[in-house]
Amino acid sequence: MTEKLLRDVEYNYNHINERIAEAAEKSGRSREDITFLAATKTVDAEVINYAVSLGLDHIGENRVQELLSKYDAYDLEHCSLQFIGHLQSNKVRQIVDKVDLIQSVDSFKLAKEISAQSFKRGKVTDILVEVNIGREENKSGVYEENLEELLCQISELPSISVKGLMTIPPICDNKHKISNYFNNMHKLFLDISQKKLDNISMTILSMGMSADYYEAILAGANMVRVGSALFGARNYT
Ligand SMILES: *Cc1c(COP(=O)(O)O)cnc(C)c1O
């Protein structure tokens, strides 16, 4: 961990906060309405904790193994730990008592296991349902036409609580196209909110990453997940 890396993280952290504030205001909200979650895959716990010391208060991991290996080192008194990656049902029990929110639930099978493991531990686990808004094959997330049915099924489970929606739109460098996906997602979020489904809360709309969090906020996101723009390019070695 070098001085330069920490200086970069500090600069990036401040810069991202400013852009979040600007996008929030442009969309009629304020900085406090938007949650800045740092996507921390491949990042050392010391560097994550440095960002937490600057004021970062939400972090998200993608892989169960990596989360477990860093778990004792996170400064969890000062930040909320979430799971944002694809989760296999057989790994739920390893993280269910360690995370505040699981953002990536896209099947009833996974929801059932989260509820069962949470029930055993006497807790209720908050989740987001992941939507495959770009209808990409081989990508996680439920198709929008199946969303309401999945939400209704999950709402019957005792120890899991839906707090909103999450999406990862298709990779493309056309800002206009990306904004379309975000706008469609926001519309879906509002449609579901208006249905006032029993035991389903539509509070969090998690979308936008390093390249497009600004556009996501303009389209209505209230949580963004930013990795490389904060910590620098990932090194997968
Ligand atoms: C890695 C990751 C991000 C952040 O990606 P960047 O482009 O580095 O900002 C956000 N969400 C999820 C689910 C991720 O896996």
Side-chain angles (χ1 to χ4, degrees), residues 56-119:
L56 178 75
D57 53 8
H58 290 74
I59 63 175
E61 287 288 354
N62 278 72
R63 297 180 186 85
V64 168
Q65 223 40 54
E66 186 176 345
L67 183 151
L68 295 175
S69 73
K70 295 194 246 175
Y71 186 72
D72 288 333
Y74 298 126
D75 178 8
L76 294 181
E77 263 182 53
H78 298 106
C79 71
S80 160
L81 174 63
Q82 310 194 351
F83 194 80
I84 61 174
H86 179 67
L87 182 59
Q88 288 168 280
S89 300
N90 62 4
K91 297 206 170 150
V92 167
R93 64 187 161 76
Q94 296 180 269
I95 63 159
V96 79
D97 56 346
K98 296 185 171 62
V99 297
D100 297 320
L101 181 72
I102 298 174
Q103 295 211 7
S104 38
V105 177
D106 63 356
S107 72
F108 185 58
K109 179 178 178 229
L110 176 59
K112 229 167 43 182
E113 179 64 8
I114 292 170
S115 181
Q117 293 294 337
S118 303
F119 188 81

Side-chain angles (χ1 to χ4, degrees), residues 39 41 62 84 166 168 209-210 225-228 234:
K41 57 182 175 276
N62 278 72
I84 61 174
M166 177 273 220
I168 307 173
M209 316 201 293
S210 289
R225 308 176 311 268
V226 179
S228 47
R234 277 182 288 277

Side-chain angles (χ1 to χ4, degrees), residues 38-55:
T40 51
K41 57 182 175 276
T42 77
V43 180
D44 289 343
E46 290 135 292
V47 179
I48 299 170
N49 290 345
Y50 178 71
V52 170
S53 77
L54 300 172

